Amino acid sequence: MLRQVNLRKVWSHEAYKFTPWLAEHISDLGKSLNLQFEHVETEKTLPHNAGRVDIIARQVPSDEVVVIENQFGVSDDSHCLRLIGYAANADASIIIWVAEEFTQYHVSILEWLNESDDVSVYAVKVVAYHIGEEFAVDFQTVVSPPESPTATSDSGHKTKTMPTLCAEFYRPIKGRLIQRGIEPIGKGGWRGRWRSFHSWLPNACYATRAEDGKAQVFLSIGNRKRFKKLLKYQDEIDSRLPSIVIWTEKDDDGDYEWHRIIVQCDHSFSLTAPEQELEITRQWMVENLVLLRDVLQPYLDQIREEEKTSANS
């Protein structure tokens, strides 16, 4: 007969007993969230005197940093603050908070954090049962990212805000682009309907735009001289890109803050469209940003080498 018990009845100490057990059974936690972990470390000391995180790992195959904070009892402000601090100083993309119970206050904080596609946040309730002399553990997801199929919390039928719609649209895109070698720009990157990605050339970035009715991927360059160099190869570049290619040059009136090479989707869409339609646009955006990178990156690398040579001469 199953009999639920307090975690302290199974593990006598949170840090010395429960954390090591959770690390050893990290695959079970991962299965409950449809995630897979590797390079698992416990009690990892973080820089900037940020303390020691309970568990830190890597998500497979995206290689994103995962921070896990576990606790006995009901969620509290102390663990909440530490979790956010650990995530910031570990540059984590995935945050997991494991506890016996979660207050609605802390659930609301985690759901709010999930409105940003910079981080995926999970709250997992852990329940222990005695079965005779043995025990079993059940992981129950309380909070998960909007795109995750494991979410069990219900926020009702509220109208979603634009930041939430954008986060839900972009969250799957980010992971797919990372797998294709395109790194998002973290702090200081574009948000809302826009997202920016590294080109590894100063003052230049790849980017996406998801306005209602219009989807674009493009290269933005804040340097006229570099843009002029690319213009010399316009016909060659256009021939390797889809039919709708737009070159926008910053003019003297400042109508454009950046020079841009834009690839525009030929079908319209809405951020409030059904998931199936959003997925079509996501796939278009990923494939065309990868194509844009593959076409333009050799030219950008050449510009970087030319500037480096000129600086050293």
Side-chain angles (χ1 to χ4, degrees):
M1 180 179 178
L2 290 177
R3 178 170 57 89
Q4 186 173 339
V5 295
N6 186 286
L7 296 190
R8 294 183 186 276
K9 297 292 185 180
V10 181
W11 298 279
S12 58
H13 195 281
E14 180 182 306
Y16 300 147
K17 299 294 184 178
F18 182 54
T19 298
W21 178 90
L22 186 59
E24 290 176 4
H25 294 80
I26 199 74
S27 61
D28 295 329
L29 175 63
K31 288 177 182 177
S32 72
L33 302 175
N34 292 327
L35 299 174
Q36 184 179 349
F37 308 119
E38 64 180 8
H39 304 306
V40 180
E41 298 180 77
T42 61
E43 300 297 329
K44 174 74 172 181
T45 301
L46 298 176
H48 312 301
N49 296 317
R52 291 189 301 175
V53 61
D54 288 342
I55 301 174
I56 191 167
R58 293 277 180 171
Q59 155 69 352
V60 180
S62 66
D63 201 39
E64 294 172 293
V65 176
V66 182
V67 161
I68 302 173
E69 176 75 356
N70 56 257
Q71 70 165 104
F72 289 155
V74 181
S75 60
D76 57 46
D77 289 346
S78 174
H79 282 84
C80 185
L81 181 60
R82 288 205 297 270
L83 177 65
I84 296 173
Y86 294 156
N89 285 276
D91 196 22
S93 298
I94 299 174
I95 302 174
I96 303 173
W97 188 359
V98 178
E100 289 183 81
E101 295 286 347
F102 287 90
T103 68
Q104 187 55 44
Y105 170 67
H106 292 125
V107 166
S108 68
I109 293 174
L110 301 184
E111 289 180 337
W112 176 76
L113 287 171
N114 264 329
E115 291 188 359
S116 167
D117 65 306
D118 288 334
V119 63
S120 296
V121 183
Y122 298 85
V124 180
K125 179 179 177 180
V126 58
V127 183
Y129 301 94
H130 261 150
I131 310 175
E133 297 299 320
E134 303 296 326
F135 72 91
V137 172
D138 183 29
F139 294 113
Q140 301 172 6
T141 307
V142 178
V143 174
S144 60
E147 288 297 319
S148 170
T150 61
T152 58
S153 60
D154 186 3
S155 301
H157 299 285
K158 298 183 295 182
T159 301
K160 293 181 179 179
T161 64
M162 185 53 61
T164 298
L165 290 171
C166 292
E168 290 180 359
F169 175 74
Y170 273 118
R171 183 173 285 109
I173 292 174
K174 176 183 175 182
R176 295 172 195 176
L177 288 173
I178 290 174
Q179 292 180 39
R180 304 287 287 273
I182 297 180
E183 295 288 335
I185 297 175
K187 296 177 182 178
W190 297 348
R191 295 295 177 265
R193 300 172 186 267
W194 310 69
R195 293 297 184 274
S196 51
F197 303 85
H198 288 289
S199 73
W200 311 114
L201 182 68
N203 209 21
C205 67
Y206 298 109
T208 60
R209 180 185 181 190
E211 297 280 356
D212 272 355
K214 184 183 297 183
Q216 296 177 337
V217 299
F218 55 93
L219 174 75
S220 280
I221 303 179
N223 181 295
R224 182 185 294 273
K225 184 177 179 180
R226 291 173 179 167
F227 188 74
K228 292 291 188 183
K229 289 183 178 180
L230 289 175
L231 274 173
K232 296 178 181 178
Y233 303 98
Q234 182 174 1
D235 291 341
E236 182 179 319
I237 290 171
D238 286 354
S239 68
R240 299 178 59 193
L241 292 172
S243 56
I244 305 177
V245 183
I246 306 167
W247 293 65
T248 61
E249 185 173 359
K250 180 178 177 181
D251 56 30
D252 294 334
D253 295 329
D255 288 342
Y256 297 104
E257 295 182 1
W258 294 67
H259 311 286
R260 291 188 175 129
I261 303 173
I262 302 168
V263 176
Q264 184 166 299
C265 186
D266 60 3
H267 69 262
S268 62
F269 86 108
S270 170
L271 287 168
T272 58
E275 175 62 24
Q276 185 175 2
E277 294 181 23
L278 292 178
E279 183 59 23
I280 292 173
T281 304
R282 288 192 192 104
Q283 292 176 4
W284 179 92
M285 196 169 275
V286 169
E287 292 304 320
N288 281 274
L289 189 60
V290 170
L291 175 60
L292 187 70
R293 185 275 312 269
D294 290 346
V295 171
L296 294 181
Q297 195 61 45
Y299 298 100
L300 300 185
D301 292 343
Q302 179 180 326
I303 290 173
R304 184 172 62 244
E305 288 302 314
E306 289 174 354
E307 292 178 352
K308 182 179 178 181
T309 301
S310 178
N312 294 331
S313 60

